[in-house]
Every structure is written in C-alpha cells, then in structure tokens.
Amino acid sequence: MSDNDNTHFGYREVKTDEKAGLVAGVFDSVATRYDVMNDLMSAGIHRIWKRFTIELSGVRRGNRVLDIAGGTGDLAAKFAPMTGDEGEVVLADINANMLSVGRDRLMDRGVSGNLYYVQADAQYLPFPDDYFDCITIAFGLRNVTDKDLALRSMHRVLKPGGRLLVLEFSKPKNPLLSRAYDAYSFGVLPNIGRLVAGDSDSYQYLAESIRMHPDQDTLREMMENAGFLRCDYHNMTGGIVAVHRGFK
Amino acid sequence: MNDIPNGSTLEMPALHTAGLAAAEAAANAALRLSPHSVESLRALQGQVLALECTKPAITLYLEADGEGQLNLRGVYDGPVTTRVRGTAADFAELARSDDPAATLINGGLVLEGSSTALTSMQRVFSELDIDWEAPLVDGLGDVAGHQLATMLRGAVDWSRQAAGSLRRQLQEFAQEEARLAPPPLALESFYGDVQQLRERSDRLGQRVENLRLRLERLRDR
C-alpha cells in the first residue's frame, strides 16, 4: 500500500475505498468461467498446488476449517470429507457471484452437510475469536485491500495452535523462468481471457496484481507481524507460486 | 525454507505432489475394478502408514478412507499407525513377498508401531483381483466385452499359474538339484544367528565402551 488513502489495483493507483469494488468487478466478470480459466492458464497445475496446500493443512476429523476467498470451492470440497460430520467447513468469499457459483458446483457434486457458505470480507471476519483449527486463503490475499488487517483478522479467529495457509502467486527464483513467466503473463494470459471468458482486462489485472504482490520473504514477515509463529513457506513450480504457513 | 514436520524435506513439492496424485489415481482406478480389495481397504480406515524410503529419499503416507479409496500424501503431521524405513529394494522385496511377516522379520526394513496394518495393506495389493469385464463391456458392448474379458481372465490365470509353477521348479532346482541356494528354513536360521551375533557384538561394544570410560575415570583420579 502506498499510503493510507491510496492503494494499487494492478499497476494503477486507486483510492483505498475503491479497490474492493474494482476487484468485485473483475470476479463478477469471470465467475462463471473461473474454473475453466484456471485449468487453461495453469495447464491444470493449480490442482497440484492446492493438493499440496491440503497436505500441509493437517486437517483431521472434527476440525473447523475456514476457506477464505474460497471461490468455486476447490479446497472446501476436499476439506469437507476430511473433517467429517463432527467437523465444519466454512467457505467464505467477499464476492456473491463467486460464492453462488461455488455453492451450486459443490451441491451438484453432493458435497454438503458440514459445509457452510458465508459472504465475508477477509479484513473483518464475522466469526468468534479462537474458532477455527485451520484457515486457508488460496489466490485471494493479493486482491485484499489491506493485507495486514486481513492477516490480523485471520489470526484473531484462529484457535491457539491452529494454522494459516496462504497459497498465492509469488516471485520466481530463476531469472530465465521469471522472463518466460512475464512473457506468458502479459502476452498470452490476456488473450486466453479474451477468447475464453470474453474479458482480457480482468486477466491483465491478474498479471499486474501478481507482480504487485509481496514476495515470499515479505509475506512471511507480514504474517509474523500479524502475530503468527513458526512461519515458513514452500516454493512451487520454481517460485511462481508459494504456500506460506504460520501457526497461532 | 522447505523443512516439513516429521523430519522429511521436499525439494520440489509440486513435482512430488504430482507424482503422488498420479500414483493415487492409478491405485484407486485399479481398486475400483477389484471390489474385494475395496472392502478389505475400507476395514483399514483411519490407519496411517508412513513409508520412509532412505534410498532414494522419499517419504509417503498411505491412508485408507471410508469409501475404500487410498490416499497418498507426501506430508502428514498427525499420528502414524505404522512407520517403516528402508531402501527401495527392501520395499520391493516386501511388495513381492508371499509371506510379508517373514520378510519384515528377516529383511532390511525397520518397523515402528503395529505390523498388522502394514501386512494387511500389502495383502490388499498382492491379492488385487481386477475384474476387467465391467469397463470392457462399457466400452465394447455386452458380447464383445464379455468375450474379451473371458479371454483376458484366462490369459491372466494361465500366466499366474505358469509363473508360480516356474518359480517353484526353479526354486527346487536351485535348492535341491544344483545346491545353489539354501532352503528357506536354513536361511531363516542363518538370519537368526546373524541377528544374535549383531546383538552380541553391540552389547560387547557397549561393554568395552563402559570399561574405557571407567579406565579414564580411574586414570583421572
């Protein structure tokens, strides 16, 4: 964030109170094609990234799990059978369209019973203190206006001993990979977006927002500042994506 | 920044996870065609097996769920029912073994926890009896699918019998005629002696160490 009144929306500087509306516009536009686009853009690798995140979650029967920015419910669908009838999974998203697509998708797949849907802002989570055993946020933190505020809110609702997992695009470690990734993000991604989702601007924003997101070490520091302990991260696919983990 | 609980390290988590996902999908596809194995696996629900391969260094965790499906994980920090450590060759020997209990005792694997879960899991896969008929009938129709499945079943049964018979004959030849290998009982007795010798030499080493320490203490006075 550049100062208290302004923040970034991709490469653009915008008023802080405008960002949520602009991000909502992006996700309203892509909600129905979100899953197809994820598969196309990552060649299906996003499933592997999410699978590893689930492995790191340590979720067991009876646990309470919060999946923030859960979108179309990829993680929540896996957590629901892991927590069982005695557990609880909350799929939260600030965007009503994404939440609606996720709910329809999971209901069609028969995932129900211990799964709840909540429209919520990650910065002001509407849950009691010390409530969840595990919190995940996959490809959502970079869209949050005030990331520090969101991390503190997550820390508040997490039980002592619980863990937060942040799966997010990050900075590739290899300069060659970084250049190839830039060419792909700014040359290919918006075109795929235009052809498949009929919207190149949203995918231009995606590429820009990834570049503006804090790198691995900065995000770990932000988690530590929010109160998380034993913070670490795992780079995946050369650092294109990283999963950060911290405990309360 | 890649240290993971339980002492394992993942250098390339995405690659490792992709490999496990592929292996899990293949194992579950095979299990779906073997209803008996699914039932046996369902009985193992909640038991977690940690397989720690030292060469190459890979750790994986196997867990059966209530649907009789197998879950493979590279990371697991919950309680483990059975932990087995050894080289890839040791694990391959266990997987091929007709008598997993004997292989565990005599082989190079180190086992912690209950051996029952491990031998039960090994049995599920060694007794995997894939019914090809359903997918073939789905793909080729009732008549052609049934004929092909019958032929396949016959071929698999014949090759199993032939392989078993060949193994028995080779074993008999190697042990009785050519005297190239000792009989299993003699081998087990030899392994037992080696084990005893190993324990005795460990104890002797410990005694010598104790004596050395005592001598050093006496010298210091």
Side-chain angles (χ1 to χ4, degrees), chain B residues 96-179:
Chain B
R96 284 196 308 264
S97 172
D98 292 331
D99 187 355
T103 311
L104 276 175
I105 294 165
N106 301 322
L109 291 169
V110 178
L111 185 130
E112 288 170 29
S114 154
S115 64
T116 316
L118 179 72
T119 48
S120 305
M121 186 76 83
Q122 193 271 354
R123 203 161 291 129
V124 167
F125 283 94
S126 65
E127 290 175 1
L128 201 66
D129 185 18
I130 294 178
D131 178 11
W132 294 102
E133 186 145 347
L136 287 173
V137 164
D138 282 347
L140 302 171
D142 287 351
V143 177
H146 175 69
Q147 295 289 345
L148 193 57
T150 309
M151 277 168 59
L152 267 175
R153 210 177 289 126
V156 169
D157 286 348
W158 180 84
S159 52
R160 254 188 207 159
Q161 276 177 12
S165 165
L166 183 68
R167 197 175 60 226
R168 272 195 306 278
Q169 285 177 27
L170 280 175
Q171 193 178 345
E172 203 178 303
F173 175 77
Q175 286 167 356
E176 308 295 338
E177 305 290 333
R179 303 251 172 212

Side-chain angles (χ1 to χ4, degrees), chain A residues 48 51 55 163 220 233-234, chain B residues 1-2 14 24 72 74 77:
Chain A
I48 302 296
R51 186 185 161 109
E55 284 188 7
R163 68 185 77 182
R220 187 183 56 181
Y233 63 81
H234 304 273
Chain B
M1 261 304 116
N2 276 332
E24 183 185 283
L72 296 184
D77 54 10

Side-chain angles (χ1 to χ4, degrees), chain A residues 45 47-49 51-52 55-61 82 163 173 217 220 230-237 245 247, chain B residues 1-5 10-21 24 45 71-79:
Chain A
I45 300 173
R47 294 170 195 276
I48 302 296
W49 298 331
R51 186 185 161 109
F52 182 64
E55 284 188 7
L56 286 181
S57 72
V59 165
R60 286 175 223 148
R61 287 189 86 75
M82 287 167 76
R163 68 185 77 182
K173 292 166 88 180
D217 289 322
R220 187 183 56 181
R230 290 158 55 204
C231 296
D232 60 5
Y233 63 81
H234 304 273
N235 282 324
M236 290 189 276
T237 321
R245 176 175 58 172
F247 295 81
Chain B
M1 261 304 116
N2 276 332
D3 288 340
I4 290 175
L10 287 182
E11 288 299 332
M12 287 189 281
L15 204 62
H16 189 262
T17 309
L20 286 182
E24 183 185 283
Q45 185 192 357
N71 293 320
L72 296 184
R73 296 179 194 166
V75 183
Y76 181 79
D77 54 10

Side-chain angles (χ1 to χ4, degrees), chain A residues 34-246:
Chain A
Y34 189 75
D35 289 330
V36 181
M37 281 302 295
N38 278 348
D39 278 332
L40 268 177
M41 290 185 306
S42 70
I45 300 173
H46 72 102
R47 294 170 195 276
I48 302 296
W49 298 331
K50 287 171 182 166
R51 186 185 161 109
F52 182 64
T53 307
I54 289 165
E55 284 188 7
L56 286 181
S57 72
V59 165
R60 286 175 223 148
R61 287 189 86 75
N63 280 177
R64 284 197 192 116
V65 182
L66 170 64
D67 181 22
I68 302 173
T72 51
D74 279 350
L75 293 183
K78 300 281 183 201
F79 284 134
M82 287 167 76
T83 57
D85 293 338
E86 55 273 53
E88 179 182 324
V89 178
V90 178
L91 197 166
D93 203 300
I94 193 170
N95 188 289
N97 274 326
M98 291 293 288
L99 205 56
S100 165
V101 170
R103 187 178 53 193
D104 290 350
R105 182 173 170 240
L106 295 186
M107 284 178 88
D108 288 348
R109 287 168 58 182
V111 185
S112 63
N114 62 350
L115 187 55
Y116 304 92
Y117 303 87
V118 175
Q119 188 177 0
D121 184 339
Q123 300 169 115
Y124 312 100
L125 291 168
F127 304 104
D129 293 359
D130 306 334
Y131 190 74
F132 292 101
D133 297 282
C134 177
I135 299 178
T136 55
I137 176 165
F139 305 113
L141 190 64
R142 72 177 189 286
N143 297 314
V144 175
T145 307
D146 188 338
K147 295 172 186 64
D148 294 310
L149 184 60
L151 287 170
R152 286 199 299 275
S153 180
M154 293 173 208
H155 186 267
R156 180 185 64 78
V157 300
L158 196 62
K159 277 183 191 173
R163 68 185 77 182
L164 165 71
L165 294 164
V166 181
L167 177 65
E168 191 52 271
F169 291 106
S170 211
K171 299 281 181 283
K173 292 166 88 180
N174 183 308
L176 267 177
L177 175 66
S178 187
R179 236 177 289 161
Y181 180 49
D182 277 349
Y184 173 74
S185 306
F186 292 101
V188 182
L189 266 192
N191 286 321
I192 300 180
R194 185 167 47 80
L195 290 170
V196 179
D199 176 5
S200 62
D201 290 347
S202 295
Y203 291 92
Q204 180 74 25
Y205 161 73
L206 172 74
E208 291 177 5
S209 66
I210 291 168
R211 296 325 182 269
M212 298 303 288
H213 188 66
D215 65 14
Q216 287 90 329
D217 289 322
T218 311
L219 180 55
R220 187 183 56 181
E221 217 169 280
M222 287 166 70
M223 287 171 67
E224 283 166 352
N225 291 340
F228 289 97
L229 305 169
R230 290 158 55 204
C231 296
D232 60 5
Y233 63 81
H234 304 273
N235 282 324
M236 290 189 276
T237 321
I240 288 177
V241 160
V243 55
H244 283 71
R245 176 175 58 172

